[in-house]
Amino acid sequence: MSFTKNVEPLGEPGVARQLTAGASSVNTALTNRVYRVSIRATGADIRFAIGSGSQTATTSSHFIANGERLDFAVPPGSNIAVIRAGSTSGTLEVTELT
């Protein structure tokens, strides 16, 4: 029995990024041809936006709690923007999956 025939793989780890989520939104372009990412918030709750082209995260963007990990499929040519969700800055750990 082959493991890959029974489970949809998320992909292999590619580029690792650490995005600082501070008081202002910061946008980062993901590597071209990346279609999935795994993200984890460290040090603070974070708001984020993912999409094609430059993004801006706001206080009403998607939420990820400190210590939480989420996995997403993303469109080609994606960017991710982050901003802190409260008064404490943190880091969004991003693993690009190829």
Side-chain angles (χ1 to χ4, degrees):
M1 180 184 317
S2 172
F3 178 78
T4 58
K5 288 184 180 178
N6 296 312
V7 176
E8 179 185 325
L10 284 174
E12 295 180 19
V15 174
R17 300 180 184 275
Q18 296 77 37
L19 310 179
T20 300
S24 299
S25 179
V26 177
N27 179 75
T28 300
L30 300 175
T31 303
N32 195 26
R33 296 182 164 239
V34 165
Y35 300 101
R36 295 179 182 180
V37 294
S38 182
I39 63 174
R40 183 170 186 268
T42 60
D45 296 339
I46 295 172
R47 297 283 182 171
F48 67 96
I50 299 175
S52 297
S54 185
Q55 301 291 302
T56 302
T58 67
T59 57
S60 60
S61 293
H62 299 289
F63 177 85
I64 183 168
N66 183 21
E68 183 177 12
R69 177 175 297 278
L70 300 172
D71 300 320
F72 292 99
V74 297
S78 285
N79 282 234
I80 184 167
V82 296
I83 192 170
R84 65 188 188 200
S87 59
T88 303
S89 296
T91 302
L92 188 69
E93 300 284 348
V94 178
T95 300
E96 295 181 356
L97 301 168
T98 58

